[in-house]
Amino acid sequence: MPTVGEVVPGYEASSWFGICAPKNTPAEIIAKLNKEINEALAEPKLKAQLSDLGGIMLARTPADFGKLIADDTEKWAKVIRAANIKPE
């Protein structure tokens, strides 16, 4: 049986998890949360546990994470438009 990538050229599937805060959270709070979260993600024990589950740690800046969200939103919007998917 062929893989999805062999049948659908360019096929890609991924998922990610992130931590968000309300829109008007002060920048200094965002910076502190980002620092603390990235420090936790650097802990060897946590890295090992998530790796055992198939996860890859990506410590990012708030701007990097915002770009990831925007890029994924646009990617899936294109899929929805191309497939003419409508809400039920």
Side-chain angles (χ1 to χ4, degrees):
M1 175 168 283
T3 65
V4 174
E6 292 169 332
V7 176
V8 182
Y11 175 81
E12 170 191 321
S14 63
S15 63
W16 50 263
F17 297 91
I19 298 173
C20 297
K23 184 176 183 176
N24 295 320
T25 301
E28 63 272 8
I29 301 294
I30 297 295
K32 179 162 178 58
L33 286 169
N34 184 249
K35 178 183 174 290
E36 298 293 332
I37 291 165
N38 284 338
E39 285 177 6
L41 292 175
E43 290 290 326
K45 185 176 179 181
L46 180 57
K47 280 179 129 175
Q49 288 174 327
L50 289 172
S51 179
D52 288 346
L53 296 171
I56 299 169
M57 300 295 234
L58 299 173
R60 294 180 178 254
T61 66
D64 291 337
F65 187 46
K67 183 172 179 348
L68 173 70
I69 293 169
D71 290 349
D72 261 15
T73 299
E74 180 55 30
K75 175 176 77 174
W76 290 111
K78 287 178 183 176
V79 170
I80 290 166
R81 287 190 298 269
N84 198 29
I85 296 171
K86 304 288 182 202
E88 294 180 9

